[in-house]
Amino acid sequence: CPAIDLEDVDDDEKDKIMSVSKAKDLYMQLFPNATIATLDGKMRASETEEVLEKFRSGETQILIATTVVEVGVDVPNATLILIENAERFGLAQMHQLRGRVGRGALQSYCLLISENAENDRIKTMCQVSDGFTIAKIDMEQLRKSGNLFGSEQSGYSKYVEEMVANP
């Protein structure tokens, strides 16, 4: 989920965003017999490790999390990831999240949940699985090279473009 809770979200956006707390309530209704846990960046390291160990062991069947699971979570039995509000994530984030499943021998799936199926990042994720190709598409076609000295993450920098074109 893109948010832990909705307290810092603008009122006009609250209905559009799936937070960890909102997802937990929903999934508890949909799967009343499943053990569901949450994981987010506000938790202490000891809490995080306890939640992950229960998920690894199968004691927890459904883990609802923020992008804190993006890197370093290795649960070979995890076979399904739903990325809620996928349009709110960048390509690299979605690719990293998708990499949390399929680490074992079982078939795995990544579902991108979004109101905007025409989003170019989502289309790329549905068509490409190679991380290097995704990075290339992101830099050459979608976000471009970015603003080298500012905070803007999209745009064009002739210096970066030249370095990429002439390695």
Side-chain angles (χ1 to χ4, degrees):
C1 299
I4 297 170
D5 51 49
L6 299 175
E7 65 186 32
D8 295 328
V9 176
D10 293 335
D11 287 338
D12 58 327
E13 292 287 307
K14 286 186 179 182
D15 290 339
K16 299 175 186 174
I17 296 176
M18 180 62 78
S19 67
V20 170
S21 56
K22 191 172 166 182
K24 183 175 183 184
D25 292 343
L26 173 65
Y27 285 97
M28 287 175 69
Q29 290 175 2
L30 294 173
F31 304 100
N33 297 321
T35 303
I36 299 173
T38 62
L39 188 64
D40 64 63
K42 289 185 178 178
M43 297 169 73
R44 292 188 311 268
S46 59
E47 289 177 291
T48 297
E49 192 50 48
E50 181 181 341
V51 167
L52 286 175
E53 187 50 45
K54 287 180 178 180
F55 187 57
R56 271 187 214 101
S57 72
E59 186 177 335
T60 298
Q61 291 85 41
I62 299 173
L63 179 62
I64 301 169
T66 60
T67 56
V68 71
V69 297
E70 185 177 349
V71 176
V73 176
D74 186 8
V75 181
N77 290 335
T79 57
L80 175 65
I81 185 167
L82 302 176
I83 302 176
E84 293 278 1
N85 299 112
E87 73 282 353
R88 295 183 173 270
F89 297 101
L91 273 171
Q93 278 184 310
M94 286 191 283
H95 180 66
Q96 287 291 332
L97 289 168
R98 177 172 60 186
R100 299 306 97 207
V101 296
R103 295 174 156 275
L106 301 172
Q107 174 68 47
S108 64
Y109 302 91
C110 173
L111 302 178
L112 305 174
I113 311 297
S114 177
E115 294 288 321
N116 183 1
E118 295 304 311
N119 181 294
D120 289 332
R121 292 185 313 276
I122 293 172
K123 286 181 180 179
T124 299
M125 286 296 295
C126 292
Q127 297 167 354
V128 181
S129 60
D130 177 68
F132 291 107
T133 304
I134 288 172
K136 186 174 181 176
I137 291 168
D138 198 24
M139 192 167 116
E140 292 178 357
Q141 298 171 24
L142 301 178
R143 283 193 312 150
K144 305 287 187 199
S145 55
N147 182 338
L148 195 57
F149 297 108
S151 61
E152 188 177 352
Q153 294 186 17
S154 63
Y156 174 79
S157 168
K158 74 177 188 174
Y159 303 110
V160 174
E161 299 289 335
E162 286 178 19
M163 285 189 293
V164 171
N166 303 307

PDB file of all heavy atoms in Angstrom, residues 54-61 73-81 100-109:
ATOM      1  N   LYS A  54       7.008 -14.561  11.332  1.00  0.00           N
ATOM      2  CA  LYS A  54       5.701 -15.234  11.324  1.00  0.00           C
ATOM      3  C   LYS A  54       5.199 -15.431   9.898  1.00  0.00           C
ATOM      4  O   LYS A  54       4.556 -16.432   9.594  1.00  0.00           O
ATOM      5  CB  LYS A  54       4.691 -14.447  12.156  1.00  0.00           C
ATOM      6  CG  LYS A  54       4.941 -14.565  13.647  1.00  0.00           C
ATOM      7  CD  LYS A  54       3.926 -13.786  14.445  1.00  0.00           C
ATOM      8  CE  LYS A  54       4.184 -13.961  15.932  1.00  0.00           C
ATOM      9  NZ  LYS A  54       3.225 -13.215  16.754  1.00  0.00           N
ATOM     10  N   PHE A  55       5.493 -14.471   9.022  1.00  0.00           N
ATOM     11  CA  PHE A  55       5.095 -14.609   7.620  1.00  0.00           C
ATOM     12  C   PHE A  55       5.926 -15.698   6.943  1.00  0.00           C
ATOM     13  O   PHE A  55       5.389 -16.530   6.212  1.00  0.00           O
ATOM     14  CB  PHE A  55       5.250 -13.264   6.904  1.00  0.00           C
ATOM     15  CG  PHE A  55       4.720 -13.251   5.497  1.00  0.00           C
ATOM     16  CD1 PHE A  55       3.409 -13.587   5.220  1.00  0.00           C
ATOM     17  CD2 PHE A  55       5.543 -12.885   4.452  1.00  0.00           C
ATOM     18  CE1 PHE A  55       2.913 -13.558   3.922  1.00  0.00           C
ATOM     19  CE2 PHE A  55       5.061 -12.856   3.140  1.00  0.00           C
ATOM     20  CZ  PHE A  55       3.749 -13.198   2.883  1.00  0.00           C
ATOM     21  N   ARG A  56       7.233 -15.715   7.208  1.00  0.00           N
ATOM     22  CA  ARG A  56       8.112 -16.754   6.633  1.00  0.00           C
ATOM     23  C   ARG A  56       7.673 -18.156   7.051  1.00  0.00           C
ATOM     24  O   ARG A  56       7.683 -19.082   6.258  1.00  0.00           O
ATOM     25  CB  ARG A  56       9.564 -16.542   7.098  1.00  0.00           C
ATOM     26  CG  ARG A  56      10.379 -15.661   6.243  1.00  0.00           C
ATOM     27  CD  ARG A  56      11.861 -15.668   6.697  1.00  0.00           C
ATOM     28  NE  ARG A  56      12.421 -14.366   6.467  1.00  0.00           N
ATOM     29  CZ  ARG A  56      12.616 -13.423   7.385  1.00  0.00           C
ATOM     30  NH1 ARG A  56      12.319 -13.660   8.651  1.00  0.00           N
ATOM     31  NH2 ARG A  56      13.114 -12.261   7.069  1.00  0.00           N
ATOM     32  N   SER A  57       7.317 -18.300   8.306  1.00  0.00           N
ATOM     33  CA  SER A  57       6.968 -19.618   8.834  1.00  0.00           C
ATOM     34  C   SER A  57       5.570 -20.071   8.415  1.00  0.00           C
ATOM     35  O   SER A  57       5.228 -21.240   8.596  1.00  0.00           O
ATOM     36  CB  SER A  57       7.067 -19.609  10.363  1.00  0.00           C
ATOM     37  OG  SER A  57       5.998 -18.860  10.926  1.00  0.00           O
ATOM     38  N   GLY A  58       4.759 -19.157   7.891  1.00  0.00           N
ATOM     39  CA  GLY A  58       3.403 -19.502   7.488  1.00  0.00           C
ATOM     40  C   GLY A  58       2.377 -19.257   8.571  1.00  0.00           C
ATOM     41  O   GLY A  58       1.184 -19.465   8.363  1.00  0.00           O
ATOM     42  N   GLU A  59       2.835 -18.817   9.749  1.00  0.00           N
ATOM     43  CA  GLU A  59       1.904 -18.495  10.828  1.00  0.00           C
ATOM     44  C   GLU A  59       0.980 -17.348  10.400  1.00  0.00           C
ATOM     45  O   GLU A  59      -0.194 -17.320  10.741  1.00  0.00           O
ATOM     46  CB  GLU A  59       2.681 -18.126  12.092  1.00  0.00           C
ATOM     47  CG  GLU A  59       1.822 -17.906  13.302  1.00  0.00           C
ATOM     48  CD  GLU A  59       2.642 -17.619  14.544  1.00  0.00           C
ATOM     49  OE1 GLU A  59       3.813 -18.025  14.628  1.00  0.00           O
ATOM     50  OE2 GLU A  59       2.090 -16.961  15.442  1.00  0.00           O
ATOM     51  N   THR A  60       1.537 -16.409   9.652  1.00  0.00           N
ATOM     52  CA  THR A  60       0.766 -15.321   9.052  1.00  0.00           C
ATOM     53  C   THR A  60       0.581 -15.638   7.577  1.00  0.00           C
ATOM     54  O   THR A  60       1.555 -15.899   6.879  1.00  0.00           O
ATOM     55  CB  THR A  60       1.508 -13.973   9.209  1.00  0.00           C
ATOM     56  OG1 THR A  60       1.650 -13.681  10.592  1.00  0.00           O
ATOM     57  CG2 THR A  60       0.764 -12.850   8.519  1.00  0.00           C
ATOM     58  N   GLN A  61      -0.650 -15.627   7.107  1.00  0.00           N
ATOM     59  CA  GLN A  61      -0.917 -15.945   5.703  1.00  0.00           C
ATOM     60  C   GLN A  61      -0.951 -14.706   4.808  1.00  0.00           C
ATOM     61  O   GLN A  61      -0.627 -14.788   3.630  1.00  0.00           O
ATOM     62  CB  GLN A  61      -2.255 -16.687   5.559  1.00  0.00           C
ATOM     63  CG  GLN A  61      -2.250 -18.084   6.126  1.00  0.00           C
ATOM     64  CD  GLN A  61      -2.554 -18.088   7.615  1.00  0.00           C
ATOM     65  OE1 GLN A  61      -3.415 -17.364   8.079  1.00  0.00           O
ATOM     66  NE2 GLN A  61      -1.830 -18.902   8.360  1.00  0.00           N
ATOM     67  N   VAL A  73      13.369  -8.603   1.792  1.00  0.00           N
ATOM     68  CA  VAL A  73      12.413  -9.580   2.298  1.00  0.00           C
ATOM     69  C   VAL A  73      12.465 -10.796   1.396  1.00  0.00           C
ATOM     70  O   VAL A  73      12.200 -10.708   0.207  1.00  0.00           O
ATOM     71  CB  VAL A  73      10.983  -8.994   2.365  1.00  0.00           C
ATOM     72  CG1 VAL A  73       9.995 -10.043   2.802  1.00  0.00           C
ATOM     73  CG2 VAL A  73      10.955  -7.798   3.299  1.00  0.00           C
ATOM     74  N   ASP A  74      12.828 -11.926   1.975  1.00  0.00           N
ATOM     75  CA  ASP A  74      12.967 -13.154   1.194  1.00  0.00           C
ATOM     76  C   ASP A  74      12.092 -14.237   1.814  1.00  0.00           C
ATOM     77  O   ASP A  74      12.458 -14.850   2.816  1.00  0.00           O
ATOM     78  CB  ASP A  74      14.427 -13.591   1.172  1.00  0.00           C
ATOM     79  CG  ASP A  74      14.668 -14.787   0.262  1.00  0.00           C
ATOM     80  OD1 ASP A  74      13.735 -15.187  -0.465  1.00  0.00           O
ATOM     81  OD2 ASP A  74      15.780 -15.326   0.286  1.00  0.00           O
ATOM     82  N   VAL A  75      10.930 -14.442   1.217  1.00  0.00           N
ATOM     83  CA  VAL A  75       9.990 -15.457   1.682  1.00  0.00           C
ATOM     84  C   VAL A  75       9.657 -16.339   0.479  1.00  0.00           C
ATOM     85  O   VAL A  75       8.777 -16.018  -0.309  1.00  0.00           O
ATOM     86  CB  VAL A  75       8.713 -14.819   2.285  1.00  0.00           C
ATOM     87  CG1 VAL A  75       7.754 -15.892   2.777  1.00  0.00           C
ATOM     88  CG2 VAL A  75       9.078 -13.855   3.407  1.00  0.00           C
ATOM     89  N   PRO A  76      10.381 -17.463   0.317  1.00  0.00           N
ATOM     90  CA  PRO A  76      10.201 -18.304  -0.869  1.00  0.00           C
ATOM     91  C   PRO A  76       8.780 -18.806  -1.099  1.00  0.00           C
ATOM     92  O   PRO A  76       8.392 -19.050  -2.227  1.00  0.00           O
ATOM     93  CB  PRO A  76      11.155 -19.476  -0.615  1.00  0.00           C
ATOM     94  CG  PRO A  76      12.200 -18.914   0.296  1.00  0.00           C
ATOM     95  CD  PRO A  76      11.470 -17.939   1.173  1.00  0.00           C
ATOM     96  N   ASN A  77       7.986 -18.942  -0.029  1.00  0.00           N
ATOM     97  CA  ASN A  77       6.611 -19.425  -0.185  1.00  0.00           C
ATOM     98  C   ASN A  77       5.635 -18.333  -0.593  1.00  0.00           C
ATOM     99  O   ASN A  77       4.481 -18.623  -0.875  1.00  0.00           O
ATOM    100  CB  ASN A  77       6.131 -20.077   1.108  1.00  0.00           C
ATOM    101  CG  ASN A  77       6.833 -21.391   1.360  1.00  0.00           C
ATOM    102  OD1 ASN A  77       7.300 -22.051   0.433  1.00  0.00           O
ATOM    103  ND2 ASN A  77       6.942 -21.763   2.620  1.00  0.00           N
ATOM    104  N   ALA A  78       6.062 -17.078  -0.614  1.00  0.00           N
ATOM    105  CA  ALA A  78       5.174 -15.990  -1.032  1.00  0.00           C
ATOM    106  C   ALA A  78       4.955 -16.089  -2.539  1.00  0.00           C
ATOM    107  O   ALA A  78       5.909 -16.097  -3.318  1.00  0.00           O
ATOM    108  CB  ALA A  78       5.776 -14.639  -0.659  1.00  0.00           C
ATOM    109  N   THR A  79       3.700 -16.169  -2.946  1.00  0.00           N
ATOM    110  CA  THR A  79       3.399 -16.390  -4.365  1.00  0.00           C
ATOM    111  C   THR A  79       2.505 -15.330  -4.985  1.00  0.00           C
ATOM    112  O   THR A  79       2.267 -15.358  -6.187  1.00  0.00           O
ATOM    113  CB  THR A  79       2.719 -17.760  -4.562  1.00  0.00           C
ATOM    114  OG1 THR A  79       1.543 -17.801  -3.756  1.00  0.00           O
ATOM    115  CG2 THR A  79       3.661 -18.892  -4.191  1.00  0.00           C
ATOM    116  N   LEU A  80       2.002 -14.402  -4.189  1.00  0.00           N
ATOM    117  CA  LEU A  80       1.103 -13.386  -4.722  1.00  0.00           C
ATOM    118  C   LEU A  80       1.383 -12.056  -4.046  1.00  0.00           C
ATOM    119  O   LEU A  80       1.467 -11.985  -2.820  1.00  0.00           O
ATOM    120  CB  LEU A  80      -0.362 -13.775  -4.474  1.00  0.00           C
ATOM    121  CG  LEU A  80      -1.430 -12.753  -4.860  1.00  0.00           C
ATOM    122  CD1 LEU A  80      -1.448 -12.524  -6.369  1.00  0.00           C
ATOM    123  CD2 LEU A  80      -2.799 -13.205  -4.376  1.00  0.00           C
ATOM    124  N   ILE A  81       1.528 -11.026  -4.851  1.00  0.00           N
ATOM    125  CA  ILE A  81       1.637  -9.674  -4.320  1.00  0.00           C
ATOM    126  C   ILE A  81       0.644  -8.797  -5.064  1.00  0.00           C
ATOM    127  O   ILE A  81       0.539  -8.872  -6.289  1.00  0.00           O
ATOM    128  CB  ILE A  81       3.077  -9.108  -4.416  1.00  0.00           C
ATOM    129  CG1 ILE A  81       3.152  -7.728  -3.725  1.00  0.00           C
ATOM    130  CG2 ILE A  81       3.560  -9.027  -5.854  1.00  0.00           C
ATOM    131  CD1 ILE A  81       4.570  -7.229  -3.490  1.00  0.00           C
ATOM    132  N   ARG A 100       9.517  -9.561  -4.672  1.00  0.00           N
ATOM    133  CA  ARG A 100       9.318 -10.191  -3.362  1.00  0.00           C
ATOM    134  C   ARG A 100       8.631 -11.541  -3.506  1.00  0.00           C
ATOM    135  O   ARG A 100       8.621 -12.320  -2.558  1.00  0.00           O
ATOM    136  CB  ARG A 100       8.483  -9.306  -2.428  1.00  0.00           C
ATOM    137  CG  ARG A 100       9.070  -7.943  -2.101  1.00  0.00           C
ATOM    138  CD  ARG A 100      10.476  -7.997  -1.562  1.00  0.00           C
ATOM    139  NE  ARG A 100      11.405  -7.760  -2.663  1.00  0.00           N
ATOM    140  CZ  ARG A 100      12.659  -8.193  -2.740  1.00  0.00           C
ATOM    141  NH1 ARG A 100      13.164  -8.909  -1.791  1.00  0.00           N
ATOM    142  NH2 ARG A 100      13.424  -7.929  -3.770  1.00  0.00           N
ATOM    143  N   VAL A 101       8.018 -11.811  -4.658  1.00  0.00           N
ATOM    144  CA  VAL A 101       7.399 -13.116  -4.888  1.00  0.00           C
ATOM    145  C   VAL A 101       8.164 -13.835  -5.991  1.00  0.00           C
ATOM    146  O   VAL A 101       8.933 -13.226  -6.724  1.00  0.00           O
ATOM    147  CB  VAL A 101       5.895 -12.997  -5.257  1.00  0.00           C
ATOM    148  CG1 VAL A 101       5.112 -12.397  -4.108  1.00  0.00           C
ATOM    149  CG2 VAL A 101       5.689 -12.201  -6.527  1.00  0.00           C
ATOM    150  N   GLY A 102       7.944 -15.123  -6.090  1.00  0.00           N
ATOM    151  CA  GLY A 102       8.623 -15.899  -7.128  1.00  0.00           C
ATOM    152  C   GLY A 102      10.031 -16.294  -6.741  1.00  0.00           C
ATOM    153  O   GLY A 102      10.855 -16.621  -7.587  1.00  0.00           O
ATOM    154  N   ARG A 103      10.332 -16.280  -5.460  1.00  0.00           N
ATOM    155  CA  ARG A 103      11.676 -16.611  -4.998  1.00  0.00           C
ATOM    156  C   ARG A 103      11.825 -18.107  -4.736  1.00  0.00           C
ATOM    157  O   ARG A 103      12.917 -18.588  -4.525  1.00  0.00           O
ATOM    158  CB  ARG A 103      12.007 -15.807  -3.740  1.00  0.00           C
ATOM    159  CG  ARG A 103      12.058 -14.322  -4.040  1.00  0.00           C
ATOM    160  CD  ARG A 103      12.250 -13.500  -2.784  1.00  0.00           C
ATOM    161  NE  ARG A 103      12.847 -12.233  -3.128  1.00  0.00           N
ATOM    162  CZ  ARG A 103      14.146 -12.030  -3.260  1.00  0.00           C
ATOM    163  NH1 ARG A 103      14.998 -12.989  -3.069  1.00  0.00           N
ATOM    164  NH2 ARG A 103      14.602 -10.834  -3.576  1.00  0.00           N
ATOM    165  N   GLY A 104      10.711 -18.820  -4.744  1.00  0.00           N
ATOM    166  CA  GLY A 104      10.741 -20.262  -4.545  1.00  0.00           C
ATOM    167  C   GLY A 104      10.391 -20.979  -5.839  1.00  0.00           C
ATOM    168  O   GLY A 104      10.399 -20.390  -6.924  1.00  0.00           O
ATOM    169  N   ALA A 105      10.049 -22.236  -5.728  1.00  0.00           N
ATOM    170  CA  ALA A 105       9.742 -23.059  -6.898  1.00  0.00           C
ATOM    171  C   ALA A 105       8.299 -22.886  -7.380  1.00  0.00           C
ATOM    172  O   ALA A 105       7.968 -23.316  -8.486  1.00  0.00           O
ATOM    173  CB  ALA A 105       9.998 -24.526  -6.566  1.00  0.00           C
ATOM    174  N   LEU A 106       7.461 -22.265  -6.584  1.00  0.00           N
ATOM    175  CA  LEU A 106       6.045 -22.134  -6.929  1.00  0.00           C
ATOM    176  C   LEU A 106       5.796 -20.980  -7.903  1.00  0.00           C
ATOM    177  O   LEU A 106       6.489 -19.965  -7.869  1.00  0.00           O
ATOM    178  CB  LEU A 106       5.222 -21.912  -5.661  1.00  0.00           C
ATOM    179  CG  LEU A 106       5.311 -23.012  -4.601  1.00  0.00           C
ATOM    180  CD1 LEU A 106       4.617 -22.572  -3.326  1.00  0.00           C
ATOM    181  CD2 LEU A 106       4.701 -24.300  -5.132  1.00  0.00           C
ATOM    182  N   GLN A 107       4.799 -21.139  -8.765  1.00  0.00           N
ATOM    183  CA  GLN A 107       4.380 -20.066  -9.672  1.00  0.00           C
ATOM    184  C   GLN A 107       3.940 -18.876  -8.838  1.00  0.00           C
ATOM    185  O   GLN A 107       3.268 -19.025  -7.837  1.00  0.00           O
ATOM    186  CB  GLN A 107       3.224 -20.553 -10.552  1.00  0.00           C
ATOM    187  CG  GLN A 107       2.618 -19.489 -11.436  1.00  0.00           C
ATOM    188  CD  GLN A 107       3.562 -19.017 -12.532  1.00  0.00           C
ATOM    189  OE1 GLN A 107       4.164 -19.828 -13.205  1.00  0.00           O
ATOM    190  NE2 GLN A 107       3.703 -17.720 -12.680  1.00  0.00           N
ATOM    191  N   SER A 108       4.323 -17.684  -9.259  1.00  0.00           N
ATOM    192  CA  SER A 108       3.939 -16.495  -8.505  1.00  0.00           C
ATOM    193  C   SER A 108       3.278 -15.473  -9.424  1.00  0.00           C
ATOM    194  O   SER A 108       3.428 -15.531 -10.646  1.00  0.00           O
ATOM    195  CB  SER A 108       5.146 -15.886  -7.811  1.00  0.00           C
ATOM    196  OG  SER A 108       6.075 -15.442  -8.773  1.00  0.00           O
ATOM    197  N   TYR A 109       2.583 -14.527  -8.786  1.00  0.00           N
ATOM    198  CA  TYR A 109       1.836 -13.533  -9.530  1.00  0.00           C
ATOM    199  C   TYR A 109       1.969 -12.171  -8.861  1.00  0.00           C
ATOM    200  O   TYR A 109       2.029 -12.065  -7.639  1.00  0.00           O
ATOM    201  CB  TYR A 109       0.346 -13.903  -9.578  1.00  0.00           C
ATOM    202  CG  TYR A 109       0.114 -15.251 -10.206  1.00  0.00           C
ATOM    203  CD1 TYR A 109       0.077 -16.406  -9.428  1.00  0.00           C
ATOM    204  CD2 TYR A 109      -0.034 -15.387 -11.584  1.00  0.00           C
ATOM    205  CE1 TYR A 109      -0.114 -17.651 -10.002  1.00  0.00           C
ATOM    206  CE2 TYR A 109      -0.232 -16.626 -12.163  1.00  0.00           C
ATOM    207  CZ  TYR A 109      -0.263 -17.757 -11.368  1.00  0.00           C
ATOM    208  OH  TYR A 109      -0.449 -18.986 -11.939  1.00  0.00           O
TER     209      TYR A 109
END
